[in-house]
Amino acid sequence: MTKKLLLQIIRSYPMYFFAPILITVLHAAIEGAGLGLLIPIIEGLQSPEAIIPSHPISIFLADMLAKINISFSLPSIFVLGMSMFLIQSLLDYSRIVLSSRIVDKVQGDIRIELYSAYLKAE
């Protein structure tokens, strides 16, 4: 029964089914990148006047920030981290909204099918 219902959901609402999965993958990727920000923060706490990137993640981040003309400093790293947290929160919210829409849509369709079967049975 569960497999049949899942296949019906995928066939009927592919966007509603795959969008929460994609959002969850994006959320996980941003969370991993946020954890990667800990390395430059630790390097910055060791020498707060000038962060000298030595780890590959720090070097990559310094290069990316240099391309958009942002200095590689603790405040910019903290702003980047807070931005990532905000994006994570928005993705989480959208995943919850989409999941609730899926539930409402599927429940409504099942109710309509049951009512139609009931009317045909009489």
Side-chain angles (χ1 to χ4, degrees), residues 1-2 4-17 98-115:
M1 180 65 178
T2 305
K4 182 180 174 184
L5 183 62
L6 184 61
L7 289 174
Q8 180 182 356
I9 292 170
I10 293 172
R11 270 187 269 119
S12 301
Y13 317 106
M15 178 64 178
Y16 281 135
F17 181 76
L98 279 174
S99 296
S100 67
R101 284 186 183 172
I102 291 170
V103 169
D104 291 343
K105 192 80 166 154
V106 170
Q107 282 180 351
D109 288 350
I110 290 172
R111 287 180 183 146
I112 290 170
E113 286 179 26
L114 285 173
Y115 189 69

Side-chain angles (χ1 to χ4, degrees), residues 5 9 19 25 32 35 37 54 60 64 70 81 84 88 108 122:
L5 183 62
I9 292 170
V25 169
L35 288 174
L37 285 178
S54 59
F60 174 75
M64 294 305 291
I70 297 176
M84 293 172 91
Q88 279 181 318
E122 288 185 356

